[in-house]
Amino acid sequence: SMGRLTLNILLSFAQFEREIISERTRDKMGAARKKGKWIGGRPPLGYNIDKEKHKLVINQKEAEIVRKIFDRYIEKRSLLSTTIIMNDLDYTTKQHTSETGRKFGGIQFTSNGIQLILRNPLYIGKVSYQGKIYPGEHEAIISEETFQKAQSILVENRPDWKMTKRAKHIGLLTGLL
């Protein structure tokens, strides 16, 4: 009995220590995001990582692709049209090689991928953390005005799904006709 009690006490302290470490790590990463720092992960299209300063730096070749995506979307007002144009021009998503040598990206754009780029505040020099936007340490690729135009078009184009909640039969064109 005494051995089981001691074991359970030790396991409880180990669990407590793991939770404390997890909380501290989460808090530290949150504080870094609020300061506008890049906290890791794959770099987004248009940026590379400066490994010495742990900052995002603009990749000029990819930044042109990002600018074209925003310009085409504002011009065409359609995710699908923008996706088709970017793929017809043979542009691909960012290719990234991990430290283990595994390759990611380098594929054709999808409508969802284009939408993620258009919604990302990183491209105006800001970072998002828990639904709030903070000034970032990196340079902006596009202007705030261009970003806001794209956001307003995205909101305009969003389908109204209120009808489908009440509908008995949901069809492909429900709520559109």
Side-chain angles (χ1 to χ4, degrees), residues 35-55:
K35 290 179 184 174
K37 294 185 182 295
W38 176 253
I39 56 171
R42 290 185 218 150
L45 181 70
Y47 290 100
N48 290 333
I49 298 173
D50 181 349
K51 295 188 184 215
E52 292 175 12
K53 297 179 182 175
H54 302 287
K55 282 177 71 171

Side-chain angles (χ1 to χ4, degrees), residues 139-162:
E139 289 182 55
I141 290 178
I142 59 162
S143 69
E144 181 105 23
E145 180 184 337
T146 304
F147 185 78
Q148 291 307 324
K149 280 183 192 174
Q151 300 315 298
S152 64
I153 296 169
L154 284 167
V155 169
E156 284 174 24
N157 290 345
R158 187 179 321 154
D160 187 13
W161 294 106
K162 292 176 189 168

Side-chain angles (χ1 to χ4, degrees), residues 2-26:
M2 193 64 161
R4 276 196 310 272
L5 174 66
T6 305
L7 181 62
N8 284 336
I9 290 171
L10 289 173
L11 290 173
S12 294
F13 274 105
Q15 176 68 25
F16 173 73
E17 186 65 26
R18 279 193 301 273
E19 289 174 5
I20 291 292
I21 291 169
S22 175
E23 263 180 45
R24 287 180 182 157
T25 304
R26 204 173 18 258

